[in-house]
């Protein structure tokens, strides 16, 4: 569900305040390091797909790799291609917190929320 204009403005304001107050934390949270594993998996999936295509073609061309009229290298190549496509497609599906699945993501999310609330309270108590 998209945010309303008011909610979007509040979110932008909170983000600006976070950058102003703690730029190191803000850059860590927003940094590209969270996107690297997804990009790496996508590249690995594409590479697997290319290797699978090569195996598929080699398996059809080289009759010595056939066993009982079945091109085993081609079948294996197809499976590698399929795995590569699945890996590439699933790399960007879940954010980092949901990638663990189940309750682990919920616990880390709630502990993060608790830490942020505690920091928020400390700011007002220190003033």
């Amino acid at each position: 569900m998209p945010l309303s204009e008011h909610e979007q403005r509040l979110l932008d304001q909170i983000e600006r305040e976070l950058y102003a107050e703690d730029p190191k934390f803000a850059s860590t949270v927003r940094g590209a390091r969270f996107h690297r594993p997804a990009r790496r998996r996508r590249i690995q999936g594409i590479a697997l797909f290319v290797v699978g295509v090569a195996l598929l073609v080699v398996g059809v061309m080289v009759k010595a790799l056939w066993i009982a009229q079945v091109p085993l290298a081609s079948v294996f190549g197809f499976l590698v291609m399929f795995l590569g496509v699945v890996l590439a497609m699933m790399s960007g599906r879940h954010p980092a917190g949901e990638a663990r699945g189940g309750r682990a993501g919920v616990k880390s999310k709630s502990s993060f929320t608790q830490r942020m609330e505690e920091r928020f309270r400390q700011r007002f108590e220190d003033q």
Side-chain angles (χ1 to χ4, degrees), residues 5-92:
E5 290 181 28
H6 177 69
E7 292 170 334
Q8 186 63 44
R9 279 188 301 226
L10 286 175
L11 186 61
D12 291 340
Q13 180 183 3
I14 291 170
E15 187 177 356
R16 282 191 304 270
E17 290 173 2
L18 177 64
Y19 275 110
E21 187 169 318
D22 196 353
K24 184 178 178 184
F25 175 72
S27 65
T28 301
V29 170
R30 191 166 198 184
R33 72 178 189 175
F34 291 115
H35 300 290
R36 285 186 188 147
R39 185 179 304 148
R40 187 178 309 131
R41 281 190 215 106
R42 191 171 296 129
I43 291 170
Q44 289 172 347
I46 292 169
L48 274 176
F49 180 80
V50 170
V51 168
V53 168
L55 281 171
L56 187 81
V57 171
V58 168
V60 170
M61 289 174 46
V62 179
K63 296 285 184 182
L65 298 174
W66 289 37
I67 297 180
Q69 301 296 327
V70 176
L72 281 182
S74 295
V75 172
F76 182 69
F78 175 77
L79 293 175
V80 169
M81 283 172 48
F82 182 74
L83 178 66
V85 168
V86 169
L87 188 66
M89 296 299 287
M90 298 302 287
S91 65

Side-chain angles (χ1 to χ4, degrees), residues 94-120:
H94 302 288
E98 292 179 17
R100 290 181 229 129
R103 294 180 175 255
V106 173
K107 285 182 183 177
S108 67
K109 203 179 249 188
S110 67
S111 66
F112 173 76
T113 306
Q114 290 171 354
R115 286 191 313 244
M116 293 304 290
E117 288 175 356
E118 184 62 32
R119 288 180 186 172
F120 185 76

